[in-house]
Amino acid sequence: MRPGNHTIDEQRQGEAVGPRSGKEGGRKLYLESYGCQMNFSDSEIVASILTDAGYSTTRNQEEADLILLNTCSIRDNAEQRIRHRLQHLKGGKRNNPKLKVGILGCMAERLRDKLLEEEKLVDLVVGPDAYRDLPRLVDEVEGGQKAVNTLLSREETYAEIQPVRLDDKGVTAFISIMRGCDNMCSFCVVPFTRGRERSRDPQSIVAEARDLFAKGYREVTLLGQNVDSYKWNVDAKGIVKDETQPVVRFAQLMDLVSDVDPDLRVRFSTSHPKDMTDEVLEVMARKDNLCKYIHLPVQSGHSDVLKRMNRGYTRDWYLDRIAAIRRIMPDCAISTDVIAGFCGETTEEHEETLSLMKEVRYEMAYMFKYSERPRTLAERKFEDDVPEEEKGRRLSEIIALQQEHSRERTAAQCGKVYRVLVEGPSKKNAEEFQGRNTYNSVIVFPKGDAQPGQYVYVRTTDHTSVTLRGERIAEAEAQEAGYIA
Ligand code: SAH
Ligand code: SF4
Ligand code: F3S
């Protein structure tokens, strides 16, 4: 996955996805994505639907006829960022009265037509399950009306829509395997903005992976809010729907996708501690192209807090899942999400989060201050009673500890030989490439004759706190050194 990037990615919020440059003439679409990878993946579906409707995408906001913001509601600051962006766009609309602006994604779903009233410059509001309706809605808007569709669906998976890949490096891609979430964690807005959980037809997933591989892609990330609860041909109660067809759960799906080609790396996000099975871990252990990296959000290290969060597991259960990972894949990298200052969190409970982090020693973590979200269980049942300043203090402790662990983990990966998938030029030095090893660690090395999309062998010799640097070596030498695949 991209630098510091999984379900939620603060760093990429606000960054424009790089739409393909459009054909001359015709209507031009500028699409900007915020929030989690699911939103970035959805933007590729939106681009596909609107390309079929005659739009071409542009990277240049100035020449756009239609600007769409694919938005996130996960924390209040995610929504504030969109509001600022809308204010900023006002000028563009003044210069070009024909310009239309639309809101897609989770904030559209949460606020619906209120957005039209609140934010006067919005012409179009479309929720995550209504993108097929975009051509009609956009026509309405072009006719001078406002248009809204925020209907959620129990079935929509956009299974057969071929996404227009907006990241034009052509090496790594996302594949959505399911949508929505049925978990109702008490802090979380996602069940309200994304609706009920539904899984996508495995054949369409495998076909998409195969197509990507044929086009030169070498890594796919399977996306869902809770990938461990992926299921096909079986209902929520475990009753098989069609006896003549196989049941496909996440373990079988990973097996199928990893069979596309041994040179196609497969990652996934996000695992849920309450649902992650040993079977999934065993499939991962069996195959080199299933990357040895698991993002397993813990949220809190104290069972009472976890209970208030309605996470469905205790501290002990979580640590048992970590033990299972270590038993089945001793070298697997593990990352997490942590929330500081949830409703009623005492200092003792906060200390337990620190102690759990010390026990697990995560490679990486995304860490947040609790932000109360309208309509959630926590908003209705509990008081958001940890003062802002105290949340900040707890969060800094969590971040400082994680930095220590991340540094330690990076150092431990130095001096070894890895098979690295080359992604593209390094951000800091155009003479160097960057790629990743199976553990999702970024490795930088001199370009030589390597090409993006190629696998190379690199011996790491040096590192900063999160980036490894190394030298490319020949395959024979890598084999002799017992490289990590
Ligand atoms: N489905 C994934 C996470 C989706 S949201 C899972 O269950 O793990 C990504 C992360 O945002 C969560 O793991 C959580 O750490 C954080 N988050 C969600 N709601 C939040 C809130 N109200 N305040 C602060 N952080 C929140
Ligand atoms: Fe939100 Fe919980 Fe669903 Fe994750 S599992 S999306 S945190 S409700
Ligand atoms: Fe993703 Fe944000 Fe929605 S995290 S699911 S875009 S609320």
Short mmCIF file of all heavy atoms in Angstrom, two decimals, residues 93-141:
data_model
loop_
_atom_site.label_atom_id
_atom_site.label_comp_id
_atom_site.label_asym_id
_atom_site.label_seq_id
_atom_site.Cartn_x
_atom_site.Cartn_y
_atom_site.Cartn_z
N LYS A 93 -15.71 28.99 -9.32
CA LYS A 93 -17.07 29.07 -9.83
C LYS A 93 -17.40 30.51 -10.29
O LYS A 93 -18.15 30.70 -11.24
CB LYS A 93 -18.01 28.61 -8.72
CG LYS A 93 -19.28 28.10 -9.30
CD LYS A 93 -19.83 26.90 -8.60
CE LYS A 93 -21.25 26.71 -9.05
NZ LYS A 93 -21.82 25.46 -9.02
N ARG A 94 -16.83 31.46 -9.59
CA ARG A 94 -17.04 32.87 -9.97
C ARG A 94 -16.44 33.12 -11.36
O ARG A 94 -17.05 33.76 -12.21
CB ARG A 94 -16.39 33.80 -8.93
CG ARG A 94 -17.36 34.86 -8.43
CD ARG A 94 -16.74 35.70 -7.34
NE ARG A 94 -16.79 35.07 -6.03
CZ ARG A 94 -15.75 34.88 -5.24
NH1 ARG A 94 -14.54 35.23 -5.61
NH2 ARG A 94 -15.90 34.33 -4.05
N ASN A 95 -15.22 32.54 -11.57
CA ASN A 95 -14.55 32.76 -12.87
C ASN A 95 -15.22 31.99 -13.99
O ASN A 95 -15.10 32.36 -15.15
CB ASN A 95 -13.08 32.30 -12.79
CG ASN A 95 -12.32 33.15 -11.80
OD1 ASN A 95 -12.74 34.26 -11.49
ND2 ASN A 95 -11.22 32.62 -11.29
N ASN A 96 -15.85 30.88 -13.66
CA ASN A 96 -16.45 30.04 -14.69
C ASN A 96 -17.86 29.63 -14.25
O ASN A 96 -18.05 28.60 -13.62
CB ASN A 96 -15.56 28.80 -14.91
CG ASN A 96 -16.20 27.80 -15.84
OD1 ASN A 96 -17.22 28.09 -16.48
ND2 ASN A 96 -15.62 26.62 -15.92
N PRO A 97 -18.85 30.45 -14.61
CA PRO A 97 -20.21 30.21 -14.11
C PRO A 97 -20.77 28.85 -14.55
O PRO A 97 -21.71 28.36 -13.94
CB PRO A 97 -21.03 31.35 -14.73
CG PRO A 97 -20.04 32.34 -15.23
CD PRO A 97 -18.76 31.62 -15.48
N LYS A 98 -20.17 28.25 -15.59
CA LYS A 98 -20.69 26.96 -16.05
C LYS A 98 -20.18 25.78 -15.21
O LYS A 98 -20.68 24.66 -15.31
CB LYS A 98 -20.32 26.75 -17.53
CG LYS A 98 -21.23 27.58 -18.46
CD LYS A 98 -21.39 26.96 -19.83
CE LYS A 98 -20.11 26.68 -20.52
NZ LYS A 98 -19.83 27.12 -21.81
N LEU A 99 -19.15 26.05 -14.40
CA LEU A 99 -18.56 24.99 -13.59
C LEU A 99 -19.56 24.41 -12.59
O LEU A 99 -20.24 25.15 -11.88
CB LEU A 99 -17.34 25.54 -12.83
CG LEU A 99 -16.70 24.60 -11.81
CD1 LEU A 99 -16.02 23.42 -12.50
CD2 LEU A 99 -15.68 25.35 -10.95
N LYS A 100 -19.65 23.06 -12.54
CA LYS A 100 -20.53 22.41 -11.57
C LYS A 100 -19.68 21.67 -10.53
O LYS A 100 -18.62 21.12 -10.87
CB LYS A 100 -21.44 21.40 -12.27
CG LYS A 100 -22.26 21.98 -13.40
CD LYS A 100 -23.30 22.96 -12.90
CE LYS A 100 -24.09 23.56 -14.05
NZ LYS A 100 -24.87 24.73 -13.63
N VAL A 101 -20.16 21.69 -9.29
CA VAL A 101 -19.40 21.05 -8.21
C VAL A 101 -20.28 20.00 -7.52
O VAL A 101 -21.43 20.29 -7.18
CB VAL A 101 -18.92 22.10 -7.18
CG1 VAL A 101 -18.27 21.43 -5.97
CG2 VAL A 101 -17.96 23.09 -7.83
N GLY A 102 -19.75 18.82 -7.34
CA GLY A 102 -20.53 17.75 -6.70
C GLY A 102 -19.80 17.12 -5.53
O GLY A 102 -18.57 17.09 -5.49
N ILE A 103 -20.59 16.62 -4.57
CA ILE A 103 -20.03 15.91 -3.42
C ILE A 103 -20.44 14.44 -3.52
O ILE A 103 -21.63 14.14 -3.64
CB ILE A 103 -20.58 16.49 -2.10
CG1 ILE A 103 -20.23 17.96 -1.95
CG2 ILE A 103 -20.08 15.71 -0.89
CD1 ILE A 103 -18.80 18.23 -1.62
N LEU A 104 -19.46 13.55 -3.45
CA LEU A 104 -19.72 12.12 -3.47
C LEU A 104 -19.29 11.54 -2.12
O LEU A 104 -18.69 12.23 -1.30
CB LEU A 104 -18.89 11.43 -4.56
CG LEU A 104 -18.85 12.04 -5.95
CD1 LEU A 104 -17.91 11.21 -6.83
CD2 LEU A 104 -20.24 12.08 -6.55
N GLY A 105 -19.54 10.26 -1.93
CA GLY A 105 -18.94 9.55 -0.80
C GLY A 105 -19.68 9.73 0.51
O GLY A 105 -20.87 10.03 0.56
N CYS A 106 -18.93 9.57 1.60
CA CYS A 106 -19.54 9.41 2.92
C CYS A 106 -20.20 10.68 3.45
O CYS A 106 -21.23 10.63 4.10
CB CYS A 106 -18.49 8.88 3.88
SG CYS A 106 -18.05 7.17 3.46
N MET A 107 -19.59 11.84 3.15
CA MET A 107 -20.20 13.08 3.64
C MET A 107 -21.49 13.36 2.88
O MET A 107 -22.45 13.89 3.45
CB MET A 107 -19.19 14.20 3.42
CG MET A 107 -19.36 15.37 4.32
SD MET A 107 -17.96 16.47 4.02
CE MET A 107 -18.66 17.99 4.61
N ALA A 108 -21.53 12.98 1.61
CA ALA A 108 -22.76 13.12 0.81
C ALA A 108 -23.85 12.26 1.45
O ALA A 108 -24.98 12.71 1.63
CB ALA A 108 -22.50 12.67 -0.62
N GLU A 109 -23.48 11.05 1.82
CA GLU A 109 -24.46 10.14 2.39
C GLU A 109 -24.93 10.63 3.76
O GLU A 109 -26.10 10.51 4.10
CB GLU A 109 -23.82 8.75 2.54
CG GLU A 109 -24.79 7.65 2.87
CD GLU A 109 -25.85 7.47 1.79
OE1 GLU A 109 -25.51 7.38 0.61
OE2 GLU A 109 -27.05 7.43 2.16
N ARG A 110 -24.03 11.17 4.53
CA ARG A 110 -24.38 11.59 5.89
C ARG A 110 -25.25 12.85 5.89
O ARG A 110 -26.20 12.95 6.64
CB ARG A 110 -23.11 11.86 6.70
CG ARG A 110 -23.34 11.91 8.19
CD ARG A 110 -22.07 12.11 8.96
NE ARG A 110 -21.66 13.50 9.03
CZ ARG A 110 -22.27 14.43 9.75
NH1 ARG A 110 -23.32 14.14 10.46
NH2 ARG A 110 -21.84 15.69 9.76
N LEU A 111 -24.93 13.80 5.02
CA LEU A 111 -25.62 15.09 5.09
C LEU A 111 -26.70 15.28 4.04
O LEU A 111 -27.57 16.14 4.17
CB LEU A 111 -24.59 16.23 5.01
CG LEU A 111 -23.65 16.26 6.22
CD1 LEU A 111 -22.46 17.15 5.96
CD2 LEU A 111 -24.38 16.72 7.47
N ARG A 112 -26.68 14.45 3.00
CA ARG A 112 -27.71 14.47 1.94
C ARG A 112 -28.04 15.88 1.46
O ARG A 112 -27.14 16.68 1.28
CB ARG A 112 -28.95 13.75 2.44
CG ARG A 112 -28.54 12.37 2.90
CD ARG A 112 -29.65 11.54 3.38
NE ARG A 112 -29.03 10.28 3.79
CZ ARG A 112 -29.67 9.21 4.13
NH1 ARG A 112 -30.97 9.21 4.15
NH2 ARG A 112 -29.01 8.13 4.46
N ASP A 113 -29.35 16.17 1.31
CA ASP A 113 -29.68 17.47 0.70
C ASP A 113 -29.35 18.66 1.61
O ASP A 113 -29.36 19.79 1.15
CB ASP A 113 -31.13 17.53 0.19
CG ASP A 113 -32.09 16.87 1.15
OD1 ASP A 113 -31.66 16.54 2.27
OD2 ASP A 113 -33.26 16.70 0.77
N LYS A 114 -29.04 18.36 2.87
CA LYS A 114 -28.59 19.46 3.74
C LYS A 114 -27.37 20.16 3.15
O LYS A 114 -27.15 21.35 3.34
CB LYS A 114 -28.22 18.92 5.13
CG LYS A 114 -29.36 19.03 6.12
CD LYS A 114 -28.84 18.89 7.54
CE LYS A 114 -29.14 17.50 8.04
NZ LYS A 114 -28.38 17.03 9.15
N LEU A 115 -26.56 19.36 2.41
CA LEU A 115 -25.35 19.94 1.81
C LEU A 115 -25.67 21.03 0.80
O LEU A 115 -24.92 21.99 0.65
CB LEU A 115 -24.54 18.84 1.11
CG LEU A 115 -23.49 18.12 1.95
CD1 LEU A 115 -22.92 16.96 1.16
CD2 LEU A 115 -22.37 19.07 2.36
N LEU A 116 -26.79 20.86 0.11
CA LEU A 116 -27.17 21.87 -0.88
C LEU A 116 -27.50 23.19 -0.19
O LEU A 116 -27.17 24.27 -0.67
CB LEU A 116 -28.38 21.41 -1.70
CG LEU A 116 -28.21 20.15 -2.53
CD1 LEU A 116 -29.50 19.81 -3.26
CD2 LEU A 116 -27.08 20.31 -3.54
N GLU A 117 -28.16 23.07 0.98
CA GLU A 117 -28.52 24.28 1.70
C GLU A 117 -27.32 24.89 2.40
O GLU A 117 -27.07 26.09 2.33
CB GLU A 117 -29.59 23.97 2.77
CG GLU A 117 -30.90 23.53 2.17
CD GLU A 117 -31.66 22.56 3.08
OE1 GLU A 117 -31.52 22.67 4.32
OE2 GLU A 117 -32.35 21.69 2.54
N GLU A 118 -26.54 24.00 3.06
CA GLU A 118 -25.40 24.50 3.85
C GLU A 118 -24.32 25.11 2.97
O GLU A 118 -23.74 26.12 3.29
CB GLU A 118 -24.74 23.33 4.59
CG GLU A 118 -25.43 22.93 5.86
CD GLU A 118 -24.73 21.74 6.46
OE1 GLU A 118 -23.49 21.65 6.36
OE2 GLU A 118 -25.42 20.88 7.05
N GLU A 119 -24.03 24.40 1.90
CA GLU A 119 -22.91 24.83 1.05
C GLU A 119 -23.51 25.25 -0.28
O GLU A 119 -23.73 24.45 -1.16
CB GLU A 119 -21.93 23.67 0.85
CG GLU A 119 -21.39 23.07 2.14
CD GLU A 119 -20.43 24.00 2.87
OE1 GLU A 119 -19.88 24.92 2.22
OE2 GLU A 119 -20.25 23.80 4.07
N LYS A 120 -23.72 26.52 -0.41
CA LYS A 120 -24.48 27.04 -1.55
C LYS A 120 -23.88 26.66 -2.90
O LYS A 120 -24.60 26.62 -3.90
CB LYS A 120 -24.60 28.57 -1.46
CG LYS A 120 -25.39 29.03 -0.26
CD LYS A 120 -26.90 28.82 -0.46
CE LYS A 120 -27.69 29.32 0.71
NZ LYS A 120 -28.58 28.32 1.29
N LEU A 121 -22.60 26.38 -2.95
CA LEU A 121 -22.05 26.15 -4.28
C LEU A 121 -22.13 24.70 -4.75
O LEU A 121 -21.77 24.39 -5.87
CB LEU A 121 -20.62 26.71 -4.38
CG LEU A 121 -19.42 25.79 -4.21
CD1 LEU A 121 -18.28 26.34 -4.99
CD2 LEU A 121 -19.10 25.65 -2.77
N VAL A 122 -22.66 23.81 -3.90
CA VAL A 122 -22.77 22.41 -4.32
C VAL A 122 -23.99 22.23 -5.22
O VAL A 122 -25.08 22.67 -4.91
CB VAL A 122 -22.86 21.50 -3.08
CG1 VAL A 122 -23.15 20.07 -3.48
CG2 VAL A 122 -21.58 21.58 -2.27
N ASP A 123 -23.76 21.55 -6.39
CA ASP A 123 -24.86 21.33 -7.34
C ASP A 123 -25.37 19.89 -7.26
O ASP A 123 -26.48 19.60 -7.68
CB ASP A 123 -24.36 21.54 -8.78
CG ASP A 123 -23.79 22.94 -8.96
OD1 ASP A 123 -24.58 23.89 -8.92
OD2 ASP A 123 -22.55 23.06 -9.11
N LEU A 124 -24.51 18.99 -6.74
CA LEU A 124 -24.79 17.57 -6.90
C LEU A 124 -24.34 16.84 -5.64
O LEU A 124 -23.24 17.08 -5.14
CB LEU A 124 -23.95 17.12 -8.11
CG LEU A 124 -23.91 15.67 -8.50
CD1 LEU A 124 -25.25 15.26 -9.06
CD2 LEU A 124 -22.83 15.47 -9.56
N VAL A 125 -25.19 15.93 -5.13
CA VAL A 125 -24.84 15.15 -3.94
C VAL A 125 -25.15 13.69 -4.23
O VAL A 125 -26.31 13.34 -4.49
CB VAL A 125 -25.66 15.62 -2.71
CG1 VAL A 125 -25.32 14.77 -1.49
CG2 VAL A 125 -25.40 17.10 -2.41
N VAL A 126 -24.13 12.83 -4.23
CA VAL A 126 -24.35 11.43 -4.60
C VAL A 126 -23.66 10.50 -3.60
O VAL A 126 -22.45 10.57 -3.39
CB VAL A 126 -23.82 11.14 -6.03
CG1 VAL A 126 -24.25 9.74 -6.47
CG2 VAL A 126 -24.32 12.17 -7.01
N GLY A 127 -24.44 9.61 -2.99
CA GLY A 127 -23.92 8.67 -2.00
C GLY A 127 -23.21 7.49 -2.65
O GLY A 127 -23.34 7.25 -3.86
N PRO A 128 -22.47 6.70 -1.85
CA PRO A 128 -21.58 5.65 -2.37
C PRO A 128 -22.26 4.52 -3.13
O PRO A 128 -21.59 3.81 -3.88
CB PRO A 128 -20.89 5.09 -1.12
CG PRO A 128 -21.37 5.87 0.04
CD PRO A 128 -22.35 6.89 -0.39
N ASP A 129 -23.57 4.33 -2.95
CA ASP A 129 -24.22 3.24 -3.69
C ASP A 129 -24.99 3.74 -4.91
O ASP A 129 -25.68 2.95 -5.57
CB ASP A 129 -25.20 2.48 -2.77
CG ASP A 129 -24.47 1.57 -1.79
OD1 ASP A 129 -23.25 1.34 -1.98
OD2 ASP A 129 -25.10 1.10 -0.83
N ALA A 130 -24.87 5.03 -5.22
CA ALA A 130 -25.72 5.60 -6.29
C ALA A 130 -24.90 6.06 -7.50
O ALA A 130 -25.40 6.80 -8.35
CB ALA A 130 -26.53 6.76 -5.73
N TYR A 131 -23.66 5.58 -7.63
CA TYR A 131 -22.81 6.11 -8.70
C TYR A 131 -23.29 5.73 -10.11
O TYR A 131 -23.01 6.44 -11.06
CB TYR A 131 -21.34 5.70 -8.49
CG TYR A 131 -20.76 6.28 -7.22
CD1 TYR A 131 -19.80 5.59 -6.47
CD2 TYR A 131 -21.18 7.52 -6.74
CE1 TYR A 131 -19.28 6.11 -5.29
CE2 TYR A 131 -20.66 8.06 -5.56
CZ TYR A 131 -19.71 7.34 -4.84
OH TYR A 131 -19.21 7.86 -3.68
N ARG A 132 -24.03 4.62 -10.23
CA ARG A 132 -24.54 4.27 -11.56
C ARG A 132 -25.52 5.33 -12.10
O ARG A 132 -25.76 5.41 -13.28
CB ARG A 132 -25.28 2.94 -11.51
CG ARG A 132 -24.38 1.75 -11.48
CD ARG A 132 -25.23 0.50 -11.53
NE ARG A 132 -24.54 -0.59 -10.91
CZ ARG A 132 -23.82 -1.49 -11.58
NH1 ARG A 132 -23.73 -1.42 -12.88
NH2 ARG A 132 -23.20 -2.46 -10.92
N ASP A 133 -26.08 6.09 -11.16
CA ASP A 133 -27.06 7.10 -11.54
C ASP A 133 -26.37 8.43 -11.93
O ASP A 133 -27.04 9.39 -12.32
CB ASP A 133 -27.98 7.32 -10.32
CG ASP A 133 -29.30 7.97 -10.69
OD1 ASP A 133 -29.66 7.94 -11.88
OD2 ASP A 133 -29.96 8.52 -9.79
N LEU A 134 -25.06 8.47 -11.83
CA LEU A 134 -24.34 9.73 -12.08
C LEU A 134 -24.62 10.37 -13.45
O LEU A 134 -24.86 11.58 -13.51
CB LEU A 134 -22.83 9.54 -11.89
CG LEU A 134 -22.29 9.81 -10.48
CD1 LEU A 134 -20.86 9.29 -10.35
CD2 LEU A 134 -22.33 11.31 -10.16
N PRO A 135 -24.62 9.58 -14.56
CA PRO A 135 -24.85 10.24 -15.85
C PRO A 135 -26.17 11.01 -15.87
O PRO A 135 -26.22 12.15 -16.34
CB PRO A 135 -24.86 9.06 -16.83
CG PRO A 135 -24.00 8.03 -16.17
CD PRO A 135 -24.27 8.17 -14.70
N ARG A 136 -27.23 10.40 -15.32
CA ARG A 136 -28.54 11.07 -15.31
C ARG A 136 -28.49 12.32 -14.40
O ARG A 136 -28.95 13.39 -14.78
CB ARG A 136 -29.59 10.09 -14.78
CG ARG A 136 -31.01 10.63 -14.82
CD ARG A 136 -31.99 9.67 -14.15
NE ARG A 136 -31.82 9.59 -12.69
CZ ARG A 136 -32.35 10.45 -11.83
NH1 ARG A 136 -33.05 11.47 -12.26
NH2 ARG A 136 -32.14 10.31 -10.53
N LEU A 137 -27.87 12.15 -13.24
CA LEU A 137 -27.82 13.26 -12.28
C LEU A 137 -27.02 14.43 -12.85
O LEU A 137 -27.38 15.59 -12.71
CB LEU A 137 -27.21 12.78 -10.96
CG LEU A 137 -28.02 11.70 -10.22
CD1 LEU A 137 -27.17 11.05 -9.14
CD2 LEU A 137 -29.29 12.30 -9.61
N VAL A 138 -25.92 14.09 -13.51
CA VAL A 138 -25.07 15.13 -14.08
C VAL A 138 -25.81 15.87 -15.19
O VAL A 138 -25.72 17.10 -15.30
CB VAL A 138 -23.74 14.51 -14.60
CG1 VAL A 138 -22.99 15.47 -15.48
CG2 VAL A 138 -22.87 14.08 -13.42
N ASP A 139 -26.60 15.14 -15.98
CA ASP A 139 -27.41 15.80 -17.01
C ASP A 139 -28.38 16.80 -16.38
O ASP A 139 -28.54 17.91 -16.87
CB ASP A 139 -28.22 14.77 -17.82
CG ASP A 139 -27.35 14.12 -18.88
OD1 ASP A 139 -26.23 14.63 -19.13
OD2 ASP A 139 -27.78 13.11 -19.46
N GLU A 140 -29.00 16.38 -15.31
CA GLU A 140 -29.93 17.28 -14.61
C GLU A 140 -29.22 18.55 -14.18
O GLU A 140 -29.72 19.66 -14.34
CB GLU A 140 -30.50 16.59 -13.37
CG GLU A 140 -31.83 15.92 -13.61
CD GLU A 140 -32.37 15.26 -12.36
OE1 GLU A 140 -32.16 15.78 -11.24
OE2 GLU A 140 -32.98 14.19 -12.52
N VAL A 141 -28.04 18.35 -13.62
CA VAL A 141 -27.27 19.49 -13.12
C VAL A 141 -26.88 20.41 -14.28
O VAL A 141 -26.94 21.63 -14.16
CB VAL A 141 -26.02 18.97 -12.36
CG1 VAL A 141 -25.00 20.06 -12.16
CG2 VAL A 141 -26.45 18.37 -11.03
#
